[in-house]
């Protein structure tokens, strides 16, 4: 069956309209959003391991933009005081597509009894996801 664009019908159901309560990014989220979320979870866990000193910053070079990798290497060397609170544990991740192949990421992590926030942006080029922007706290 050939793929159709635009509105479609499912056995007697009415046609979808632009006003059916779904955001315009709904379809893209199913296609790219889950992949972006999986990538964000994996890469943010690695970022927290780098910040804790449990992983080398050089292991992030394939997952991050060079500027992000440099920022994380610097933060890993200078953020020793944060480590006293305990190991960082990723507790929640959400990715929201903003354009095809681009998603904004919001996450939370805990150190001991305190909770912190992370925001970032991931992009997909040639089938590979990359963390291109990151803000901690």
């Amino acid at each position: 069956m050939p793929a159709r664009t635009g509105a479609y019908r499912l056995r007697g159901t009415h046609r979808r309209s632009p006003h059916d309560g779904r955001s315009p990014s709904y379809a893209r989220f199913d296609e790219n959003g889950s992949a972006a979320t999986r990538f964000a979870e994996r890469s943010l866990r690695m970022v927290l391991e780098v910040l804790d000193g449990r992983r080398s910053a050089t292991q992030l070079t394939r997952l991050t933009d060079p500027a992000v990798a440099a920022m994380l290497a610097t933060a890993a060397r200078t953020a020793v005081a944060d480590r006293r609170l305990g190991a960082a544990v990723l507790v929640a991740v959400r990715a929201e597509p903003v354009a095809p192949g681009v998603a904004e990421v919001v996450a939370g992590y805990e150190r001991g009894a305190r909770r912190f926030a992370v925001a970032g942006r991931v992009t997909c080029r040639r089938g590979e996801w990359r963390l291109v922007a990151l803000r901690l706290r």
Side-chain angles (χ1 to χ4, degrees):
M1 183 167 164
R4 294 183 185 181
T5 58
Y8 60 90
R9 290 181 184 229
L10 295 174
R11 288 192 230 180
T13 60
H14 64 280
R15 289 175 41 168
R16 286 173 67 187
S17 76
H19 307 289
D20 67 355
R22 295 180 179 169
S23 68
S25 64
Y26 182 78
R28 285 193 312 269
F29 186 79
D30 288 344
E31 296 165 6
N32 291 327
S34 59
T37 302
R38 284 192 308 272
F39 172 79
E41 287 175 4
R42 184 177 61 129
S43 61
L44 290 177
R45 284 185 207 289
M46 291 178 71
V47 163
L48 294 176
E49 289 173 3
V50 167
L51 294 176
D52 282 350
R54 296 180 282 160
R55 182 181 291 269
S56 169
T58 58
Q59 294 181 7
L60 294 175
T61 55
R62 295 201 63 203
L63 301 175
T64 62
D65 191 59
V68 174
M71 181 272 298
L72 289 170
T74 301
R77 284 192 311 269
T78 59
V80 177
D82 288 343
R83 293 181 197 153
R84 282 185 257 155
L85 296 172
V89 178
L90 191 65
V91 293
V93 177
R94 181 175 176 185
E96 185 66 34
V98 293
V102 179
E104 291 186 351
V105 176
V106 179
Y109 70 98
E110 293 178 349
R111 282 188 183 275
R114 295 187 62 189
R115 189 161 191 159
F116 300 95
V118 178
R121 181 173 277 225
V122 295
T123 61
C124 183
R125 290 195 181 147
R126 297 183 201 118
E128 290 188 17
W129 287 94
R130 259 187 129 74
L131 182 63
V132 295
L134 185 69
R135 178 142 181 137
L136 299 164
R137 288 240 195 225

